[in-house]
């Protein structure tokens, strides 16, 4: 069987691309699109950094501001993730359930391991999307262009949230001149995978 026609190998390869996406800033899967629906039923999509992917837990982890509108749209709700790897010519359309965690020891560990520069954006004075009188980073003036100290970053901690996606389905599409291929894998049927029309 050719590797591109072996369903378990395809699923493992899709996860290996996601794992790489979580670990390698240069991977095109490092910045997937995360889509949600608001309380009016309107769709919202935005690019986010994929921090970690784990096949054994069927999970993805991302970071965000706890005050951002997407948190309410996503916590405990369905989520869609879209990513395309041009080198592999593979599109992944992932669906799952999102969960936002802010307080436990795992989140604390992730916060402490982030660089001070990465943590600095959580010092923003207003929730993302707040109207501003003019162009601004939203950061307090005293920290613009500077790395905060461990002490200065303390007040940012309540604004830090981790977004966990429990993956329930992966729709894999591979583009090739010899013929496109598409398969859908669902946790509900043990990730067995089914071929579908591209
Ligand atoms: C390359 C790139 C990476 C981004 N990474 C994140 C991220 O990891 N977390 C995040 O909350 N927003 C990230 N953003 C900003 C979001 O796309 C979005 O503008 C912001 O989170 C507000 O979204 P919301 O109003 O839907 O909550 C990123 C944007 C770009 C362009």
């Amino acid at each position: 069987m050719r590797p591109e026609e072996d369903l378990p190998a395809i699923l493992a390869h899709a996860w290996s691309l996601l794992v790489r996406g979580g670990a390698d800033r240069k991977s095109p899967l490092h910045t997937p699109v995360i889509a949600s629906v608001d309380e009016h039923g309107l769709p919202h999509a935005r690019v986010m950094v994929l921090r970690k992917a784990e096949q054994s837990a069927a999970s993805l982890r991302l970071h965000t501001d706890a005050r951002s509108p997407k948190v309410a749209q996503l916590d405990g709700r369905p989520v869609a993730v879209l990513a395309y790897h041009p080198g592999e010519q593979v599109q992944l359309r992932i669906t799952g359930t999102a969960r936002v965690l802010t307080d436990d020891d795992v989140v604390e560990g992730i916060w402490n391991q982030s660089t001070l520069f990465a943590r600095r954006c959580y010092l923003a004075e207003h929730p993302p999307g707040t109207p501003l009188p003019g162009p601004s980073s939203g950061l307090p003036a005293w920290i613009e262009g500077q790395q905060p100290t461990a002490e200065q970053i303390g007040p940012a901690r309540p604004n830090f949230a981790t977004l966990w996606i429990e993956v329930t389905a992966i729709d894999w599409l591979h583009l090739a001149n010899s013929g496109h291929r598409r398969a859908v894998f669902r946790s509900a049927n043990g990730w067995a995978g089914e071929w579908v029309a591209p």
Side-chain angles (χ1 to χ4, degrees):
M1 200 184 308
R2 299 192 307 180
E4 69 274 22
E5 303 205 330
D6 173 352
L7 288 167
I10 288 166
L11 182 63
H13 184 246
W15 273 106
S16 75
L17 294 180
L18 288 166
V19 169
R20 177 100 188 247
D24 178 0
R25 302 170 63 153
K26 294 198 175 129
S27 162
L29 268 50
H30 191 57
T31 46
V33 173
I34 310 294
S36 57
V37 176
D38 70 16
E39 72 272 28
H40 307 294
L42 291 173
H44 296 267
R46 77 286 287 161
V47 172
M48 292 179 77
V49 171
L50 175 61
R51 309 287 168 167
K52 189 163 184 172
E54 259 187 286
Q55 182 173 6
S56 58
S59 79
L60 308 176
R61 171 165 60 83
L62 306 100
H63 298 171
T64 193
D65 191 309
R67 304 166 294 176
S68 72
K70 69 174 92 51
V71 164
Q73 293 166 17
L74 286 166
D75 194 16
R77 304 181 65 87
V79 58
V81 179
L82 175 65
Y84 176 59
H85 196 302
E88 301 283 340
Q89 303 208 99
V90 166
Q91 171 181 261
L92 299 177
R93 294 165 72 187
I94 295 172
T95 46
T97 304
R99 208 160 41 109
V100 176
L101 294 180
T102 53
D103 292 331
D104 66 12
D105 289 350
V106 174
V107 180
E108 201 59 32
I110 292 167
W111 172 255
N112 288 324
Q113 277 163 25
S114 303
T115 65
L116 288 162
F117 261 126
R119 285 186 257 175
R120 187 181 62 170
C121 53
Y122 299 98
L123 281 171
E125 291 175 310
H126 306 288
T130 304
L132 298 173
S136 166
S137 70
L139 290 173
W142 58 263
I143 200 62
E144 288 273 12
Q146 289 183 60
Q147 175 173 288
T149 64
E151 195 177 37
Q152 287 170 329
I153 206 65
R157 171 65 183 87
N159 299 332
F160 175 67
T162 55
L163 173 66
W164 303 78
I165 295 174
E166 182 197 346
V167 176
T168 51
I170 299 179
D171 180 328
W172 170 92
L173 171 69
H174 180 240
L175 304 178
N177 286 337
S178 53
H180 307 326
R181 294 283 185 272
R182 183 175 169 198
V184 179
F185 302 86
R186 292 186 181 84
S187 62
N189 71 353
W191 296 110
E194 293 168 345
W195 295 108
V196 296

Short mmCIF file of all heavy atoms in Angstrom, two decimals, residues 86-131:
data_model
loop_
_atom_site.label_atom_id
_atom_site.label_comp_id
_atom_site.label_asym_id
_atom_site.label_seq_id
_atom_site.Cartn_x
_atom_site.Cartn_y
_atom_site.Cartn_z
N PRO A 86 1.93 23.94 3.17
CA PRO A 86 2.18 24.00 1.72
C PRO A 86 3.22 22.99 1.25
O PRO A 86 3.09 22.44 0.16
CB PRO A 86 2.69 25.44 1.50
CG PRO A 86 2.39 26.18 2.74
CD PRO A 86 2.27 25.19 3.85
N GLY A 87 4.25 22.75 2.07
CA GLY A 87 5.29 21.78 1.66
C GLY A 87 4.72 20.39 1.49
O GLY A 87 5.05 19.67 0.54
N GLU A 88 3.87 19.99 2.40
CA GLU A 88 3.26 18.66 2.36
C GLU A 88 1.99 18.64 1.50
O GLU A 88 1.45 17.58 1.24
CB GLU A 88 2.89 18.22 3.79
CG GLU A 88 4.06 18.15 4.75
CD GLU A 88 4.91 16.90 4.52
OE1 GLU A 88 4.42 15.94 3.92
OE2 GLU A 88 6.07 16.92 4.96
N GLN A 89 1.53 19.83 1.15
CA GLN A 89 0.24 19.98 0.43
C GLN A 89 -0.89 19.28 1.18
O GLN A 89 -1.70 18.56 0.60
CB GLN A 89 0.36 19.49 -1.00
CG GLN A 89 1.48 20.23 -1.73
CD GLN A 89 1.23 20.32 -3.21
OE1 GLN A 89 0.75 21.33 -3.72
NE2 GLN A 89 1.54 19.26 -3.91
N VAL A 90 -0.89 19.50 2.48
CA VAL A 90 -1.90 18.88 3.34
C VAL A 90 -2.70 19.96 4.07
O VAL A 90 -2.13 20.86 4.69
CB VAL A 90 -1.23 17.94 4.38
CG1 VAL A 90 -2.20 17.55 5.48
CG2 VAL A 90 -0.70 16.68 3.70
N GLN A 91 -4.01 19.86 3.93
CA GLN A 91 -4.91 20.69 4.74
C GLN A 91 -5.48 19.82 5.86
O GLN A 91 -5.92 18.69 5.63
CB GLN A 91 -6.08 21.21 3.89
CG GLN A 91 -7.15 21.90 4.73
CD GLN A 91 -8.33 22.39 3.86
OE1 GLN A 91 -8.38 23.57 3.52
NE2 GLN A 91 -9.22 21.49 3.51
N LEU A 92 -5.49 20.39 7.08
CA LEU A 92 -6.12 19.72 8.22
C LEU A 92 -7.27 20.58 8.70
O LEU A 92 -7.08 21.77 9.01
CB LEU A 92 -5.11 19.50 9.36
CG LEU A 92 -3.90 18.63 9.04
CD1 LEU A 92 -2.96 18.57 10.25
CD2 LEU A 92 -4.32 17.22 8.61
N ARG A 93 -8.45 19.99 8.72
CA ARG A 93 -9.63 20.68 9.29
C ARG A 93 -10.00 19.86 10.51
O ARG A 93 -10.46 18.72 10.40
CB ARG A 93 -10.77 20.70 8.28
CG ARG A 93 -10.44 21.54 7.07
CD ARG A 93 -11.40 21.26 5.95
NE ARG A 93 -12.72 21.81 6.20
CZ ARG A 93 -13.76 21.55 5.40
NH1 ARG A 93 -13.64 20.76 4.36
NH2 ARG A 93 -14.93 22.09 5.66
N ILE A 94 -9.78 20.48 11.66
CA ILE A 94 -9.92 19.76 12.93
C ILE A 94 -11.15 20.28 13.65
O ILE A 94 -11.40 21.49 13.67
CB ILE A 94 -8.65 19.99 13.78
CG1 ILE A 94 -7.45 19.36 13.05
CG2 ILE A 94 -8.81 19.45 15.19
CD1 ILE A 94 -6.12 19.67 13.68
N THR A 95 -11.90 19.38 14.24
CA THR A 95 -12.99 19.81 15.12
C THR A 95 -12.77 19.20 16.49
O THR A 95 -12.12 18.15 16.63
CB THR A 95 -14.38 19.44 14.56
OG1 THR A 95 -14.34 18.09 14.12
CG2 THR A 95 -14.76 20.32 13.41
N GLY A 96 -13.31 19.87 17.49
CA GLY A 96 -13.12 19.38 18.85
C GLY A 96 -13.92 20.21 19.82
O GLY A 96 -14.80 20.99 19.45
N THR A 97 -13.59 20.00 21.10
CA THR A 97 -14.23 20.75 22.17
C THR A 97 -13.13 21.53 22.88
O THR A 97 -12.07 20.99 23.17
CB THR A 97 -14.93 19.80 23.17
OG1 THR A 97 -15.84 18.99 22.44
CG2 THR A 97 -15.67 20.58 24.24
N ALA A 98 -13.44 22.81 23.14
CA ALA A 98 -12.44 23.67 23.77
C ALA A 98 -12.70 23.80 25.26
O ALA A 98 -13.84 23.66 25.73
CB ALA A 98 -12.50 25.05 23.12
N ARG A 99 -11.64 24.04 25.99
CA ARG A 99 -11.72 24.21 27.43
C ARG A 99 -10.69 25.28 27.79
O ARG A 99 -9.55 25.21 27.29
CB ARG A 99 -11.30 22.88 28.07
CG ARG A 99 -11.87 22.57 29.41
CD ARG A 99 -11.76 21.06 29.66
NE ARG A 99 -10.49 20.48 29.21
CZ ARG A 99 -9.53 20.04 30.03
NH1 ARG A 99 -9.67 20.13 31.33
NH2 ARG A 99 -8.44 19.50 29.54
N VAL A 100 -11.07 26.22 28.61
CA VAL A 100 -10.12 27.27 29.01
C VAL A 100 -9.74 27.04 30.46
O VAL A 100 -10.61 26.91 31.33
CB VAL A 100 -10.76 28.67 28.84
CG1 VAL A 100 -9.82 29.76 29.36
CG2 VAL A 100 -11.11 28.91 27.38
N LEU A 101 -8.46 26.96 30.71
CA LEU A 101 -7.97 26.78 32.08
C LEU A 101 -7.06 27.95 32.44
O LEU A 101 -6.22 28.37 31.63
CB LEU A 101 -7.19 25.47 32.22
CG LEU A 101 -7.98 24.17 32.03
CD1 LEU A 101 -7.07 22.97 32.19
CD2 LEU A 101 -9.14 24.08 33.02
N THR A 102 -7.26 28.47 33.65
CA THR A 102 -6.47 29.64 34.05
C THR A 102 -5.71 29.44 35.36
O THR A 102 -4.75 30.17 35.63
CB THR A 102 -7.40 30.87 34.25
OG1 THR A 102 -8.45 30.50 35.14
CG2 THR A 102 -8.00 31.33 32.94
N ASP A 103 -6.14 28.48 36.18
CA ASP A 103 -5.68 28.50 37.57
C ASP A 103 -4.85 27.35 38.09
O ASP A 103 -4.26 27.49 39.14
CB ASP A 103 -6.92 28.57 38.50
CG ASP A 103 -7.60 29.90 38.36
OD1 ASP A 103 -6.90 30.87 38.05
OD2 ASP A 103 -8.84 29.94 38.53
N ASP A 104 -4.87 26.21 37.43
CA ASP A 104 -4.28 25.05 38.12
C ASP A 104 -2.75 25.05 38.03
O ASP A 104 -2.13 25.95 37.46
CB ASP A 104 -4.90 23.74 37.62
CG ASP A 104 -4.56 23.47 36.16
OD1 ASP A 104 -3.69 24.15 35.62
OD2 ASP A 104 -5.20 22.58 35.58
N ASP A 105 -2.14 24.00 38.61
CA ASP A 105 -0.68 23.93 38.68
C ASP A 105 -0.04 23.84 37.30
O ASP A 105 1.07 24.35 37.07
CB ASP A 105 -0.26 22.70 39.49
CG ASP A 105 -0.56 22.89 40.96
OD1 ASP A 105 -0.90 24.02 41.36
OD2 ASP A 105 -0.46 21.89 41.71
N VAL A 106 -0.75 23.15 36.39
CA VAL A 106 -0.21 23.01 35.03
C VAL A 106 -0.11 24.39 34.38
O VAL A 106 0.93 24.74 33.80
CB VAL A 106 -1.13 22.07 34.19
CG1 VAL A 106 -0.66 22.03 32.74
CG2 VAL A 106 -1.15 20.68 34.79
N VAL A 107 -1.16 25.19 34.53
CA VAL A 107 -1.15 26.54 33.94
C VAL A 107 -0.07 27.39 34.60
O VAL A 107 0.66 28.13 33.93
CB VAL A 107 -2.54 27.20 34.08
CG1 VAL A 107 -2.54 28.60 33.48
CG2 VAL A 107 -3.61 26.33 33.42
N GLU A 108 0.06 27.24 35.89
CA GLU A 108 1.09 27.98 36.63
C GLU A 108 2.49 27.63 36.09
O GLU A 108 3.33 28.52 35.89
CB GLU A 108 0.99 27.61 38.12
CG GLU A 108 1.60 28.59 39.07
CD GLU A 108 0.99 29.99 38.98
OE1 GLU A 108 -0.21 30.12 38.69
OE2 GLU A 108 1.76 30.93 39.18
N GLY A 109 2.70 26.34 35.85
CA GLY A 109 3.99 25.89 35.31
C GLY A 109 4.24 26.48 33.93
O GLY A 109 5.36 26.92 33.62
N ILE A 110 3.20 26.48 33.09
CA ILE A 110 3.34 27.02 31.73
C ILE A 110 3.67 28.51 31.80
O ILE A 110 4.54 29.01 31.09
CB ILE A 110 2.04 26.77 30.92
CG1 ILE A 110 1.86 25.27 30.67
CG2 ILE A 110 2.04 27.55 29.62
CD1 ILE A 110 0.48 24.88 30.17
N TRP A 111 2.98 29.22 32.68
CA TRP A 111 3.22 30.66 32.86
C TRP A 111 4.68 30.90 33.27
O TRP A 111 5.37 31.74 32.69
CB TRP A 111 2.26 31.21 33.91
CG TRP A 111 2.51 32.62 34.33
CD1 TRP A 111 3.07 33.04 35.51
CD2 TRP A 111 2.21 33.82 33.58
NE1 TRP A 111 3.13 34.42 35.54
CE2 TRP A 111 2.61 34.92 34.38
CE3 TRP A 111 1.64 34.05 32.33
CZ2 TRP A 111 2.46 36.23 33.95
CZ3 TRP A 111 1.50 35.37 31.90
CH2 TRP A 111 1.91 36.44 32.71
N ASN A 112 5.12 30.14 34.23
CA ASN A 112 6.48 30.36 34.75
C ASN A 112 7.56 30.01 33.73
O ASN A 112 8.66 30.55 33.78
CB ASN A 112 6.69 29.57 36.05
CG ASN A 112 5.90 30.20 37.18
OD1 ASN A 112 5.78 31.42 37.26
ND2 ASN A 112 5.33 29.38 38.05
N GLN A 113 7.21 29.08 32.81
CA GLN A 113 8.20 28.70 31.80
C GLN A 113 8.22 29.65 30.60
O GLN A 113 9.15 29.60 29.80
CB GLN A 113 7.91 27.29 31.29
CG GLN A 113 8.47 26.22 32.22
CD GLN A 113 7.85 24.86 31.95
OE1 GLN A 113 7.38 24.58 30.86
NE2 GLN A 113 7.83 24.02 32.95
N SER A 114 7.18 30.49 30.45
CA SER A 114 7.16 31.41 29.32
C SER A 114 8.20 32.50 29.54
O SER A 114 8.50 32.87 30.68
CB SER A 114 5.79 32.09 29.19
OG SER A 114 4.78 31.14 29.06
N THR A 115 8.72 33.04 28.45
CA THR A 115 9.71 34.11 28.60
C THR A 115 9.01 35.37 29.13
O THR A 115 7.80 35.54 28.96
CB THR A 115 10.37 34.45 27.26
OG1 THR A 115 9.37 35.00 26.39
CG2 THR A 115 11.01 33.23 26.60
N LEU A 116 9.78 36.23 29.73
CA LEU A 116 9.21 37.47 30.26
C LEU A 116 8.63 38.32 29.13
O LEU A 116 7.61 38.97 29.30
CB LEU A 116 10.27 38.24 31.05
CG LEU A 116 10.61 37.60 32.40
CD1 LEU A 116 11.95 38.13 32.93
CD2 LEU A 116 9.50 37.84 33.43
N PHE A 117 9.28 38.26 27.95
CA PHE A 117 8.75 39.01 26.81
C PHE A 117 7.39 38.46 26.39
O PHE A 117 6.47 39.20 26.08
CB PHE A 117 9.72 38.97 25.61
CG PHE A 117 10.55 40.21 25.50
CD1 PHE A 117 11.94 40.13 25.44
CD2 PHE A 117 9.95 41.47 25.46
CE1 PHE A 117 12.71 41.28 25.34
CE2 PHE A 117 10.70 42.62 25.36
CZ PHE A 117 12.09 42.53 25.30
N ALA A 118 7.30 37.10 26.37
CA ALA A 118 6.02 36.49 25.98
C ALA A 118 4.93 36.85 26.98
O ALA A 118 3.77 37.07 26.60
CB ALA A 118 6.17 34.97 25.88
N ARG A 119 5.30 36.95 28.23
CA ARG A 119 4.31 37.25 29.27
C ARG A 119 3.90 38.72 29.25
O ARG A 119 2.85 39.08 29.77
CB ARG A 119 4.88 36.89 30.65
CG ARG A 119 4.90 35.38 30.89
CD ARG A 119 5.32 35.06 32.30
NE ARG A 119 6.70 34.62 32.36
CZ ARG A 119 7.36 34.37 33.48
NH1 ARG A 119 6.76 34.52 34.64
NH2 ARG A 119 8.60 33.96 33.45
N ARG A 120 4.76 39.56 28.66
CA ARG A 120 4.51 41.00 28.71
C ARG A 120 3.15 41.39 28.11
O ARG A 120 2.48 42.30 28.60
CB ARG A 120 5.63 41.74 27.97
CG ARG A 120 5.54 43.24 28.12
CD ARG A 120 6.62 43.93 27.37
NE ARG A 120 6.54 43.68 25.93
CZ ARG A 120 7.24 44.30 25.02
NH1 ARG A 120 8.11 45.21 25.39
NH2 ARG A 120 7.13 44.02 23.74
N CYS A 121 2.70 40.66 27.06
CA CYS A 121 1.44 41.10 26.40
C CYS A 121 0.25 40.98 27.34
O CYS A 121 -0.77 41.64 27.14
CB CYS A 121 1.21 40.37 25.09
SG CYS A 121 1.26 38.61 25.19
N TYR A 122 0.40 40.17 28.40
CA TYR A 122 -0.71 40.03 29.34
C TYR A 122 -0.77 41.18 30.35
O TYR A 122 -1.64 41.22 31.21
CB TYR A 122 -0.63 38.66 30.04
CG TYR A 122 -0.74 37.55 29.01
CD1 TYR A 122 0.40 36.91 28.52
CD2 TYR A 122 -1.97 37.20 28.49
CE1 TYR A 122 0.31 35.93 27.53
CE2 TYR A 122 -2.08 36.23 27.50
CZ TYR A 122 -0.93 35.59 27.04
OH TYR A 122 -1.04 34.64 26.05
N LEU A 123 0.15 42.14 30.19
CA LEU A 123 0.09 43.37 30.99
C LEU A 123 -0.85 44.40 30.34
O LEU A 123 -1.09 45.47 30.91
CB LEU A 123 1.48 44.01 31.11
CG LEU A 123 2.46 43.41 32.13
CD1 LEU A 123 3.85 44.02 31.94
CD2 LEU A 123 1.98 43.63 33.56
N ALA A 124 -1.38 44.07 29.16
CA ALA A 124 -2.26 45.03 28.46
C ALA A 124 -3.36 45.52 29.40
O ALA A 124 -3.95 44.74 30.14
CB ALA A 124 -2.85 44.38 27.22
N GLU A 125 -3.62 46.83 29.31
CA GLU A 125 -4.53 47.43 30.30
C GLU A 125 -6.00 47.15 30.03
O GLU A 125 -6.81 47.17 30.94
CB GLU A 125 -4.28 48.95 30.34
CG GLU A 125 -2.92 49.25 30.94
CD GLU A 125 -2.57 50.72 30.90
OE1 GLU A 125 -2.69 51.34 29.82
OE2 GLU A 125 -2.18 51.25 31.95
N HIS A 126 -6.32 46.87 28.76
CA HIS A 126 -7.73 46.67 28.41
C HIS A 126 -7.90 45.32 27.73
O HIS A 126 -6.99 44.84 27.04
CB HIS A 126 -8.20 47.77 27.45
CG HIS A 126 -7.93 49.14 27.97
ND1 HIS A 126 -8.64 49.68 29.01
CD2 HIS A 126 -7.02 50.06 27.60
CE1 HIS A 126 -8.18 50.89 29.26
NE2 HIS A 126 -7.19 51.15 28.43
N PRO A 127 -9.08 44.73 27.86
CA PRO A 127 -9.33 43.46 27.16
C PRO A 127 -9.18 43.61 25.65
O PRO A 127 -9.51 44.69 25.10
CB PRO A 127 -10.79 43.15 27.52
CG PRO A 127 -11.06 43.91 28.77
CD PRO A 127 -10.20 45.13 28.71
N PRO A 128 -8.69 42.59 24.95
CA PRO A 128 -8.59 42.65 23.49
C PRO A 128 -9.93 43.04 22.89
O PRO A 128 -10.98 42.55 23.31
CB PRO A 128 -8.21 41.20 23.11
CG PRO A 128 -7.53 40.66 24.34
CD PRO A 128 -8.22 41.31 25.51
N GLY A 129 -9.88 43.96 21.93
CA GLY A 129 -11.11 44.42 21.26
C GLY A 129 -11.69 45.69 21.85
O GLY A 129 -12.62 46.26 21.29
N THR A 130 -11.13 46.17 22.98
CA THR A 130 -11.62 47.40 23.59
C THR A 130 -11.31 48.60 22.68
O THR A 130 -10.16 48.73 22.22
CB THR A 130 -10.92 47.64 24.95
OG1 THR A 130 -11.13 46.49 25.76
CG2 THR A 130 -11.43 48.88 25.65
N PRO A 131 -12.29 49.47 22.38
CA PRO A 131 -11.99 50.66 21.57
C PRO A 131 -10.95 51.55 22.26
O PRO A 131 -10.98 51.71 23.48
CB PRO A 131 -13.35 51.39 21.49
CG PRO A 131 -14.36 50.34 21.79
CD PRO A 131 -13.71 49.38 22.74
#
